[in-house]
Amino acid sequence: MIAHTPTPPYYAVIFTSMRTIHDDGYSDTANRMLELASTMPGFLGVESARKDVGITVSYWDSLEAIRAWRQHPDHIHAQNEGRGKWYVSFTTRICRVEAESSFLCQSAKK
Amino acid sequence: MIAHTPTPPYYAVIFTSMRTIHDDGYSDTANRMLELASTMPGFLGVESARKDVGITVSYWDSLEAIRAWRQHPDHIHAQNEGRGKWYVSFTTRICRVEAESSFLCQSAKK
Protein backbone atom coordinates (compact mmCIF):
# COMPACT_ATOMS: atom_id res chain seq x y z
CA MET A 1 0.00 0.00 0.00
CA ILE A 2 2.97 2.28 0.70
CA ALA A 3 5.10 2.49 -2.43
CA HIS A 4 8.65 1.18 -2.19
CA THR A 5 10.61 3.87 -3.96
CA PRO A 6 14.36 4.22 -4.58
CA THR A 7 16.78 6.61 -2.92
CA PRO A 8 15.86 10.18 -3.98
CA PRO A 9 15.91 12.13 -6.15
CA TYR A 10 12.92 10.91 -8.15
CA TYR A 11 9.60 12.49 -9.10
CA ALA A 12 6.03 12.47 -7.78
CA VAL A 13 2.72 13.49 -9.32
CA ILE A 14 0.21 14.47 -6.63
CA PHE A 15 -3.32 14.32 -8.06
CA THR A 16 -5.94 15.67 -5.63
CA SER A 17 -9.58 15.55 -6.72
CA MET A 18 -13.19 16.11 -5.74
CA ARG A 19 -15.51 13.63 -7.44
CA THR A 20 -19.00 13.99 -8.84
CA ILE A 21 -21.62 11.55 -7.48
CA HIS A 22 -21.67 9.56 -10.75
CA ASP A 23 -19.60 6.39 -11.12
CA ASP A 24 -20.49 5.85 -14.80
CA GLY A 25 -17.39 3.79 -15.54
CA TYR A 26 -15.09 5.70 -13.19
CA SER A 27 -13.94 2.75 -11.06
CA ASP A 28 -13.18 0.58 -14.09
CA THR A 29 -11.25 3.36 -15.79
CA ALA A 30 -9.37 4.32 -12.62
CA ASN A 31 -8.26 0.72 -12.10
CA ARG A 32 -7.33 0.37 -15.77
CA MET A 33 -5.26 3.57 -15.62
CA LEU A 34 -3.40 2.32 -12.52
CA GLU A 35 -2.59 -0.93 -14.33
CA LEU A 36 -1.53 0.92 -17.46
CA ALA A 37 0.63 3.39 -15.51
CA SER A 38 2.45 0.50 -13.86
CA THR A 39 3.53 -0.77 -17.29
CA MET A 40 5.02 2.59 -18.34
CA PRO A 41 8.80 3.07 -18.46
CA GLY A 42 10.05 4.88 -15.37
CA PHE A 43 7.05 4.04 -13.16
CA LEU A 44 8.16 3.53 -9.55
CA GLY A 45 4.90 3.06 -7.63
CA VAL A 46 1.58 4.59 -6.63
CA GLU A 47 -0.39 5.38 -3.47
CA SER A 48 -4.08 6.25 -3.43
CA ALA A 49 -6.76 7.11 -0.87
CA ARG A 50 -10.15 8.79 -0.96
CA LYS A 51 -12.37 10.16 1.79
CA ASP A 52 -14.19 13.31 0.69
CA VAL A 53 -11.09 14.37 -1.23
CA GLY A 54 -9.13 11.81 -3.26
CA ILE A 55 -5.34 11.81 -3.32
CA THR A 56 -3.34 9.69 -5.75
CA VAL A 57 0.44 10.02 -5.74
CA SER A 58 2.38 8.29 -8.51
CA TYR A 59 6.17 8.07 -8.47
CA TRP A 60 8.43 8.23 -11.52
CA ASP A 61 12.14 8.17 -12.28
CA SER A 62 12.15 11.27 -14.51
CA LEU A 63 10.09 14.16 -15.86
CA GLU A 64 10.29 12.48 -19.26
CA ALA A 65 8.52 9.40 -17.86
CA ILE A 66 5.75 11.63 -16.43
CA ARG A 67 5.41 13.40 -19.78
CA ALA A 68 5.09 10.10 -21.65
CA TRP A 69 2.41 8.90 -19.21
CA ARG A 70 0.43 12.12 -19.50
CA GLN A 71 0.55 11.81 -23.28
CA HIS A 72 -0.42 8.14 -23.54
CA PRO A 73 -3.53 8.06 -25.81
CA ASP A 74 -5.59 5.92 -23.39
CA HIS A 75 -4.65 8.27 -20.55
CA ILE A 76 -5.58 11.36 -22.56
CA HIS A 77 -8.96 9.74 -23.30
CA ALA A 78 -9.47 9.03 -19.57
CA GLN A 79 -8.44 12.60 -18.67
CA ASN A 80 -11.06 13.95 -21.06
CA GLU A 81 -13.72 11.65 -19.60
CA GLY A 82 -12.67 12.79 -16.11
CA ARG A 83 -13.14 16.47 -16.97
CA GLY A 84 -16.47 15.70 -18.60
CA LYS A 85 -18.18 13.64 -15.93
CA TRP A 86 -16.13 12.38 -12.98
CA TYR A 87 -14.46 15.39 -11.39
CA VAL A 88 -15.85 18.57 -9.90
CA SER A 89 -12.31 19.84 -9.49
CA PHE A 90 -8.76 18.59 -9.35
CA THR A 91 -5.22 19.82 -8.94
CA THR A 92 -2.13 18.12 -10.34
CA ARG A 93 1.27 18.90 -8.85
CA ILE A 94 4.56 17.70 -10.29
CA CYS A 95 7.29 17.40 -7.67
CA ARG A 96 10.90 16.41 -7.30
CA VAL A 97 11.26 14.15 -4.24
CA GLU A 98 14.38 15.28 -2.43
CA ALA A 99 14.35 13.19 0.77
CA GLU A 100 12.56 10.10 2.05
CA SER A 101 12.42 8.32 5.39
CA SER A 102 10.41 5.31 6.54
CA PHE A 103 9.25 3.68 9.75
CA LEU A 104 8.20 0.06 10.35
CA CYS A 105 7.05 -0.88 13.84
CA GLN A 106 9.02 -3.60 15.62
CA SER A 107 6.18 -6.13 15.71
CA ALA A 108 5.58 -5.73 11.96
CA LYS A 109 9.25 -6.56 11.30
CA LYS A 110 8.93 -10.01 12.92
CA MET B 1 -10.56 20.20 0.57
CA ILE B 2 -8.06 20.82 -2.25
CA ALA B 3 -5.37 23.19 -0.98
CA HIS B 4 -5.07 26.55 -2.71
CA THR B 5 -1.35 26.90 -3.13
CA PRO B 6 0.72 29.65 -4.76
CA THR B 7 2.57 29.52 -8.07
CA PRO B 8 5.44 26.98 -7.77
CA PRO B 9 8.08 26.46 -6.64
CA TYR B 10 7.07 25.58 -3.09
CA TYR B 11 7.45 22.42 -1.01
CA ALA B 12 5.30 19.40 -0.12
CA VAL B 13 5.59 16.76 2.59
CA ILE B 14 3.87 13.54 1.53
CA PHE B 15 3.13 11.41 4.61
CA THR B 16 1.79 7.95 3.71
CA SER B 17 0.85 5.63 6.58
CA MET B 18 -0.68 2.31 7.58
CA ARG B 19 -2.54 2.58 10.89
CA THR B 20 -2.90 0.16 13.77
CA ILE B 21 -6.47 -0.71 14.80
CA HIS B 22 -6.23 1.39 17.98
CA ASP B 23 -7.56 4.95 18.10
CA ASP B 24 -6.32 5.66 21.62
CA GLY B 25 -6.23 9.42 21.15
CA TYR B 26 -5.18 9.32 17.49
CA SER B 27 -8.06 11.35 16.04
CA ASP B 28 -7.73 14.08 18.66
CA THR B 29 -3.98 14.33 18.16
CA ALA B 30 -4.24 14.25 14.36
CA ASN B 31 -6.76 17.10 14.40
CA ARG B 32 -4.67 19.06 16.90
CA MET B 33 -1.56 18.63 14.73
CA LEU B 34 -3.42 19.88 11.64
CA GLU B 35 -4.53 22.96 13.58
CA LEU B 36 -1.04 23.53 14.95
CA ALA B 37 0.59 23.08 11.52
CA SER B 38 -1.73 25.71 10.06
CA THR B 39 -0.40 28.26 12.58
CA MET B 40 3.25 27.64 11.63
CA PRO B 41 5.18 30.20 9.55
CA GLY B 42 5.35 29.14 5.90
CA PHE B 43 2.34 26.78 6.03
CA LEU B 44 0.45 26.88 2.70
CA GLY B 45 -2.22 24.18 3.07
CA VAL B 46 -2.94 20.51 3.63
CA GLU B 47 -4.84 17.67 1.97
CA SER B 48 -5.66 14.39 3.67
CA ALA B 49 -7.48 11.13 2.86
CA ARG B 50 -7.51 7.63 4.27
CA LYS B 51 -8.85 4.36 2.91
CA ASP B 52 -6.63 1.43 3.85
CA VAL B 53 -3.58 3.63 3.38
CA GLY B 54 -3.61 7.21 4.67
CA ILE B 55 -2.08 10.06 2.68
CA THR B 56 -1.57 13.53 4.13
CA VAL B 57 0.17 16.13 1.99
CA SER B 58 1.15 19.41 3.64
CA TYR B 59 2.46 22.36 1.63
CA TRP B 60 5.13 24.81 2.76
CA ASP B 61 6.95 27.82 1.39
CA SER B 62 10.46 26.58 2.25
CA LEU B 63 12.52 23.70 3.60
CA GLU B 64 13.19 25.84 6.68
CA ALA B 65 9.44 25.99 7.40
CA ILE B 66 9.24 22.19 7.12
CA ARG B 67 12.23 21.81 9.45
CA ALA B 68 10.66 24.11 12.04
CA TRP B 69 7.40 22.14 11.91
CA ARG B 70 9.17 18.80 12.28
CA GLN B 71 11.02 20.17 15.30
CA HIS B 72 8.04 21.74 17.08
CA PRO B 73 7.98 20.12 20.58
CA ASP B 74 4.27 19.18 20.38
CA HIS B 75 4.84 17.64 16.96
CA ILE B 76 7.85 15.67 18.17
CA HIS B 77 5.72 14.34 21.03
CA ALA B 78 2.99 13.32 18.56
CA GLN B 79 5.55 11.68 16.26
CA ASN B 80 6.81 9.58 19.18
CA GLU B 81 3.27 8.58 20.11
CA GLY B 82 2.66 7.68 16.47
CA ARG B 83 5.67 5.36 16.33
CA GLY B 84 4.66 3.82 19.65
CA LYS B 85 1.01 3.01 19.04
CA TRP B 86 -0.71 4.46 15.97
CA TYR B 87 1.33 3.42 12.94
CA VAL B 88 2.33 0.04 11.59
CA SER B 89 4.46 1.80 8.99
CA PHE B 90 4.85 5.15 7.34
CA THR B 91 6.95 6.93 4.74
CA THR B 92 7.66 10.65 4.69
CA ARG B 93 8.78 12.28 1.45
CA ILE B 94 9.96 15.86 1.16
CA CYS B 95 9.42 17.32 -2.30
CA ARG B 96 9.90 20.49 -4.25
CA VAL B 97 6.71 21.26 -6.22
CA GLU B 98 7.81 22.36 -9.67
CA ALA B 99 4.51 22.69 -11.56
CA GLU B 100 0.82 22.86 -10.74
CA SER B 101 -2.37 22.87 -12.80
CA SER B 102 -6.01 22.85 -11.75
CA PHE B 103 -9.43 22.07 -13.21
CA LEU B 104 -12.84 23.28 -12.10
CA CYS B 105 -15.89 21.98 -13.95
CA GLN B 106 -18.11 24.56 -15.65
CA SER B 107 -21.16 23.95 -13.48
CA ALA B 108 -19.08 24.37 -10.29
CA LYS B 109 -17.93 27.77 -11.55
CA LYS B 110 -21.50 29.12 -11.70
Side-chain angles (χ1 to χ4, degrees):
Chain A
M1 310 297 290
I2 298 179
H4 291 283
T5 37
T7 303
Y10 55 89
Y11 291 85
V13 180
I14 306 171
F15 178 77
T16 309
S17 63
M18 299 293 291
R19 286 267 287 111
T20 59
I21 57 173
H22 315 295
D23 188 275
D24 197 9
Y26 169 76
S27 303
D28 287 349
T29 299
N31 290 333
R32 202 157 41 79
M33 286 305 111
L34 285 181
E35 282 173 28
L36 180 60
S38 71
T39 68
M40 295 292 291
F43 175 84
L44 300 176
V46 66
E47 296 161 346
S48 193
R50 178 174 297 279
K51 186 183 176 186
D52 304 326
V53 73
I55 305 174
T56 297
V57 189
S58 58
Y59 300 101
W60 303 86
D61 71 1
S62 67
L63 291 173
E64 290 67 33
I66 293 170
R67 196 171 302 122
W69 167 233
R70 289 167 75 104
Q71 294 176 350
H72 188 292
D74 291 4
H75 190 199
I76 288 177
H77 181 74
Q79 290 169 45
N80 289 337
E81 281 197 295
R83 287 190 190 86
K85 59 183 180 180
W86 292 323
Y87 296 116
V88 174
S89 59
F90 62 74
T91 295
T92 304
R93 296 178 176 96
I94 297 178
C95 317
R96 180 182 148 99
V97 181
E98 303 197 336
E100 174 186 319
S101 61
S102 289
F103 164 81
L104 183 62
C105 78
Q106 286 302 319
S107 56
K109 287 177 187 164
K110 288 172 190 166
Chain B
M1 310 299 289
I2 298 179
H4 291 285
T5 37
T7 304
Y10 54 89
Y11 291 85
V13 180
I14 306 172
F15 178 75
T16 310
S17 63
M18 300 291 291
R19 286 267 287 112
T20 58
I21 57 173
H22 315 295
D23 189 275
D24 196 11
Y26 170 76
S27 302
D28 286 350
T29 300
N31 289 333
R32 201 155 42 80
M33 287 304 112
L34 285 181
E35 283 174 28
L36 181 59
S38 71
T39 69
M40 295 290 292
F43 175 84
L44 300 175
V46 66
E47 296 162 346
S48 194
R50 178 174 296 279
K51 187 182 176 188
D52 305 325
V53 73
I55 305 175
T56 297
V57 189
S58 58
Y59 300 101
W60 303 87
D61 70 3
S62 67
L63 291 173
E64 291 66 33
I66 293 171
R67 196 171 303 124
W69 167 234
R70 290 168 75 104
Q71 293 175 352
H72 188 291
D74 292 3
H75 191 199
I76 288 177
H77 180 74
Q79 290 169 46
N80 290 337
E81 281 197 293
R83 287 190 191 88
K85 60 183 179 181
W86 292 322
Y87 295 116
V88 174
S89 59
F90 62 73
T91 295
T92 304
R93 295 178 176 93
I94 297 179
C95 317
R96 180 182 148 100
V97 180
E98 305 197 336
E100 174 186 318
S101 60
S102 288
F103 163 81
L104 184 63
C105 78
Q106 287 302 319
S107 56
K109 287 176 188 164
K110 285 172 189 165

